[in-house]
Amino acid sequence: MVQDYREYIDKVLVSEEQIKTRVRELGAESQPGLRRGEEILIVCILRGGVMFTVDLVREITVPPLAIEFMAVSSYGSGARQSEGEVRITLDLNTRIAGKHVLIVEDIIDSGNTLASVIELLQTRSPKSIYVCTLLDKYERREVEVPIRYCGFKIKNEFVFGYGLDMDEYYRNLPFVGTVDLDRYEPPAG
Ligand code: IMP
Ligand code: MG
């Protein structure tokens, strides 16, 4: 049995309403940068960035845009922080040369994951690369990541919901909550 999140949630950090409002704002904020006639590629970082990406792209109406997915392994189940080493487990299926790339991520913590992704994508000659993250755990940054659009800056607490998982569960929650790790029992196996 997977533990019910209500047993270990500490508090709702960002509510469903706050997320909706901010996503709408971010959609509007990012529009001017996305110019008509230029090719825009939204790169969703799986799996955490999925909720944010699908909500965000519906708020962007200006240019014709395409959506691509990339998966990166930062840390295994049970670990609560990423190691320096980052592995691309799913790469883009599209050439990005000459395109404007907007990377959409759930959270930037140490910055290692995004820094590696940006470094890799830069070698493919995009016209630009911008980063849009829902959450910025700024206190834990080890590597500088240029964040163009940010939903919420948060303190150093482990969070879940709205794309972010507790050992792969509860990504579907419509809000972001903090975890009381003392009350959390990781799933067996
Ligand atoms: P970074 O490489 O340390 O910046 O870690 C980034 C990745 O770690 C994110 O894409 C998330 O998947 C994951 N992550 C970091 N903090 C949290 C958290 O509080 N909850 C869930 N996942 C997190
Ligand atoms: Mg992630």
Side-chain angles (χ1 to χ4, degrees):
M1 273 284 281
V2 176
Q3 193 184 9
D4 190 309
Y5 79 89
R6 280 163 284 215
E7 292 176 13
Y8 58 74
I9 186 168
D10 186 37
K11 60 181 177 297
V12 172
L13 186 66
V14 192
S15 72
E16 183 172 3
E17 268 321 298
Q18 285 175 299
I19 292 173
K20 281 191 178 147
T21 304
R22 192 70 188 113
V23 168
R24 232 173 275 132
E25 289 170 355
L26 286 171
E29 250 180 66
S30 55
Q31 308 255 27
L34 309 176
R35 279 188 298 280
R36 249 176 235 287
E38 304 210 303
E39 282 197 71
I40 314 294
L41 183 68
I42 305 285
V43 173
C44 168
I45 308 294
L46 295 176
R47 291 183 283 268
V50 123
M51 303 284 164
F52 183 36
T53 300
V54 298
D55 285 345
L56 182 71
V57 291
R58 283 180 286 192
E59 300 295 332
I60 300 176
T61 52
V62 174
L65 55 82
I67 306 175
E68 261 283 3
F69 298 91
M70 226 174 141
V72 190
S73 83
S74 37
Y75 46 74
S77 192
R80 299 272 167 265
Q81 46 190 304
S82 62
E83 291 114 39
E85 194 80 4
V86 173
R87 223 156 29 89
I88 307 291
T89 55
L90 175 76
D91 203 344
L92 303 176
N93 271 311
T94 319
R95 288 170 51 82
I96 64 168
K99 295 180 187 172
H100 293 285
V101 173
L102 181 65
I103 301 175
V104 182
E105 175 63 307
D106 52 356
I107 186 166
I108 301 178
D109 187 19
S110 70
N112 286 314
T113 306
L114 246 280
S116 306
V117 169
I118 293 170
E119 196 184 335
L120 172 70
L121 295 186
Q122 285 293 11
T123 65
R124 301 178 185 173
S125 317
K127 200 158 187 183
S128 68
I129 298 183
Y130 287 131
V131 174
C132 179
T133 186
L134 178 73
L135 305 171
D136 177 8
K137 233 191 239 183
Y138 59 96
E139 293 171 330
R140 299 207 352 124
R141 201 61 33 85
E142 292 167 12
V143 189
E144 213 39 63
V145 178
I147 301 175
R148 180 63 175 255
Y149 308 107
C150 169
F152 304 91
K153 285 185 187 289
I154 66 168
K155 295 274 172 199
N156 180 18
E157 290 179 286
F158 201 81
V159 292
F160 73 117
Y162 196 69
L164 297 121
D165 67 306
M166 276 313 286
D167 294 321
E168 294 304 326
Y169 293 98
Y170 290 122
R171 294 185 194 273
N172 56 313
L173 294 175
F175 56 83
V176 174
T178 58
V179 182
D180 179 350
L181 286 170
D182 292 334
R183 283 189 277 132
Y184 178 63
E185 293 156 21

